[in-house]
Amino acid sequence: MNTAKGARARARTEITAAIKDAARRQLAAEGAAKLSLRAVARELGMVSSALYRYFPSRDDLLTALIIDAYDSLGEAAEAAKAAGAAEAAHGAVAGAEPLERWTAVCEAVRGWALAHPHEYALIYGSPVPGYTAPETTVPSAARVGLLLIGITRDAHEREALTAPPLPADLCEEAERMRADLAPDLPPEVVAALVAAWAQLFGLVGFEVFGQFHRVVEDRAPFFRHAAVRLAHGVGLRS
Amino acid sequence: MNTAKGARARARTEITAAIKDAARRQLAAEGAAKLSLRAVARELGMVSSALYRYFPSRDDLLTALIIDAYDSLGEAAEAAKAAGAAEAAHGAVAGAEPLERWTAVCEAVRGWALAHPHEYALIYGSPVPGYTAPETTVPSAARVGLLLIGITRDAHEREALTAPPLPADLCEEAERMRADLAPDLPPEVVAALVAAWAQLFGLVGFEVFGQFHRVVEDRAPFFRHAAVRLAHGVGLRS
DNA sequence: GTCTATAACGAGATAGAC
DNA sequence: GTCTATCTCGTTATAGAC
């Protein structure tokens, strides 16, 4: 009984994974807008109606791919943060640690995006027409942001961070963001952090989507320096 | 003779414009990946083969839409720069002028993007599968960047700009970018400028594509402050 | 010469009967 | 689950209207 149940569940997860793999291939070839259950089924030698046992609609398959992509990126970023922490523990100045973790996370985001451009486009590119992501994607989508908040919080605990003062018309919103995201950080730092988060993906997106073509050639050092300067803007010092 | 020629040319430009308008509507409804000549023709009461008198292929129509979008954005940004310059001429400190023009351009980019989200997605969103933009798009695509370079150059002529020193592994690339983009600016400033350019579109893209949903609510002052801080990063002072 | 319409091709998607 | 009839698409060749 257990074995039967286990085998059934195993088969189900295997087929689910195969479906998502085929869908990711279609994503790369045709784009998210043209993702069709039929094409996925054809590639797997199944019939389209069989897919509905695993994903009730095309949008649900899309949602699963989006969550997987956010999680894959989040895992890469979290692994880089942990590795950066370990690296910093080995040597050097203790105060440099948060900045090293920050840049490690940024470079992990870039590396993941360059390795998975189509999944990057799925989550940070143009919205898919006719599709709106459900709330279930939010926890996965938040992972990189939470990571950056955590690094900033660690740095703030060691040594109080500062950022330039806010204009009057931004104070209320900054307080609101602070209450939502990081009550233990100063509002200017929270505002700077959210901006840095968006700007990080601006740098990554420009590289992945080809806007740096014939503008920036040696991109790794360019990106690293920009990531360090993003950290400085949040108050992290070297 | 002249009138006949003129009428013909007028009709041609009118129909060309009508085709592009219909295509833009389809862009908004279905996305760039699903742009189809037949649907455009249907909407105009024409037959698909007739469109080939105006656009030799579907990709050429896409290219025309991309160039139009870049030019529309570029014109909005250039108008804002001119208006910012005029505004600054009226009053206030002379040294504040470049920063005001910088933020005016950034806010014009944001305003245009929010007013034309689908065209923004076409030029700064996910690449269209199976399509690669020809070199003819480059001049239009460069307009906003050139505008920011121009503002920075003006500021540098008044008062030498500085940016933090570059790491050794970025010096060569920064010199290359400087030679290509702005030989009269210091290499650190050029590197900071290119990064700021990408980061600007990170901020705009996050807002247009909905990443700020439930994160940033009062977005105009948030963006304005971030744009000012981008300018600071390039060396522009208030 | 300039344009539009008809018809067709090969490829792919889709809906429904079986 | 299978098969078929009917759609869509980009693109071309061709013929005729202005």
Side-chain angles (χ1 to χ4, degrees):
Chain A
M1 196 137 72
N2 261 348
T3 55
K5 244 190 174 176
R8 208 164 289 192
R10 198 158 46 243
R12 188 176 172 82
T13 58
E14 259 173 38
I15 297 181
T16 305
I19 292 171
K20 291 198 285 194
D21 279 350
R24 270 185 281 266
R25 276 190 293 275
Q26 222 204 321
L27 213 63
E30 304 279 0
K34 285 191 180 167
L35 179 73
S36 93
L37 286 180
R38 291 188 99 95
V40 172
R42 194 176 27 248
E43 192 178 327
L44 292 171
M46 301 170 81
V47 112
S48 65
S49 56
L51 287 195
Y52 285 86
R53 295 192 141 276
Y54 300 89
F55 296 96
S57 76
R58 187 202 83 128
D59 283 8
D60 289 281
L61 175 55
L62 209 48
T63 299
L65 296 176
I66 288 171
I67 290 175
D68 277 8
Y70 275 127
D71 280 335
S72 169
L73 170 63
E75 273 164 38
E78 280 159 21
K81 178 184 171 182
E87 201 178 296
H90 270 277
V93 198
E97 207 193 299
L99 183 66
E100 277 168 26
R101 280 191 284 163
W102 174 283
T103 56
V105 166
C106 290
E107 290 187 315
V109 169
R110 171 177 179 261
W112 184 91
L114 291 173
H116 306 89
H118 304 103
E119 288 169 79
Y120 182 85
L122 179 66
I123 54 183
Y124 290 106
S126 320
V128 182
Y131 171 85
T132 49
E135 297 292 330
T136 47
T137 59
V138 170
S140 302
R143 287 172 71 166
V144 169
L146 292 175
L147 222 49
L148 297 177
I149 291 174
I151 293 169
T152 308
R153 183 180 293 128
D154 289 351
H156 186 66
E157 278 167 12
R158 297 185 185 201
E159 183 181 13
L161 299 182
T162 57
L166 298 173
D169 62 354
L170 186 52
C171 286
E172 196 181 334
E173 172 66 9
E175 279 295 343
R176 213 200 41 71
M177 291 194 288
R178 182 173 83 124
D180 268 21
L181 302 172
D184 45 352
L185 291 175
E188 323 89 68
V189 171
V190 175
L193 189 50
V194 174
W197 170 62
Q199 288 164 1
L200 163 63
F201 287 94
L203 291 162
V204 171
F206 260 37
E207 182 168 356
V208 175
F209 295 160
Q211 300 276 356
F212 281 158
H213 181 66
R214 294 201 188 163
V215 179
V216 185
E217 300 286 359
D218 194 8
R219 291 164 193 168
F222 175 82
F223 178 84
R224 173 188 289 263
H225 184 239
V228 170
R229 296 205 58 205
L230 281 180
H232 289 166
V234 177
L236 299 192
R237 291 284 131 204
S238 41
Chain B
M1 198 141 70
N2 263 348
T3 55
K5 245 190 174 177
R8 209 166 291 210
R10 198 160 45 244
R12 188 176 173 82
T13 57
E14 259 173 39
I15 296 181
T16 304
I19 292 171
K20 291 198 285 194
D21 280 349
R24 270 185 282 265
R25 276 190 294 275
Q26 224 204 314
L27 213 62
E30 304 279 0
K34 286 191 178 166
L35 208 198
S36 98
L37 283 183
R38 293 189 109 108
V40 170
R42 204 177 312 128
E43 190 178 328
L44 293 171
M46 301 171 80
V47 95
S48 68
S49 60
L51 290 195
Y52 284 83
R53 289 273 148 192
Y54 300 89
F55 297 96
S57 77
R58 189 203 86 127
D59 283 7
D60 288 278
L61 174 55
L62 245 185
T63 300
L65 296 177
I66 288 170
I67 290 174
D68 277 9
Y70 275 127
D71 280 335
S72 169
L73 169 63
E75 273 164 38
E78 279 158 22
K81 178 184 170 181
E87 201 178 297
H90 271 276
V93 198
E97 207 194 296
L99 184 66
E100 277 169 26
R101 280 191 284 165
W102 175 284
T103 56
V105 166
C106 290
E107 290 187 313
V109 170
R110 171 177 178 260
W112 183 91
L114 291 173
H116 305 89
H118 303 104
E119 287 170 80
Y120 182 85
L122 179 66
I123 54 182
Y124 290 106
S126 319
V128 182
Y131 171 85
T132 48
E135 296 292 328
T136 47
T137 59
V138 170
S140 302
R143 286 172 72 166
V144 169
L146 291 176
L147 222 48
L148 297 177
I149 291 174
I151 293 169
T152 307
R153 183 180 294 126
D154 290 351
H156 187 66
E157 278 168 12
R158 298 184 185 202
E159 183 182 12
L161 299 183
T162 57
L166 298 173
D169 63 354
L170 185 53
C171 286
E172 196 181 333
E173 173 66 9
E175 279 295 345
R176 213 200 42 70
M177 290 194 288
R178 183 173 84 122
D180 268 20
L181 302 172
D184 44 353
L185 291 176
E188 324 87 68
V189 172
V190 174
L193 188 52
V194 173
W197 170 62
Q199 289 165 0
L200 163 64
F201 286 93
L203 291 162
V204 171
F206 260 36
E207 182 168 356
V208 174
F209 294 160
Q211 300 275 357
F212 281 158
H213 181 64
R214 294 199 189 167
V215 179
V216 185
E217 300 286 0
D218 194 9
R219 291 164 192 168
F222 175 83
F223 178 84
R224 174 189 288 262
H225 184 238
V228 170
R229 295 204 60 205
L230 280 180
H232 289 166
V234 177
L236 298 193
R237 291 285 131 202
S238 40

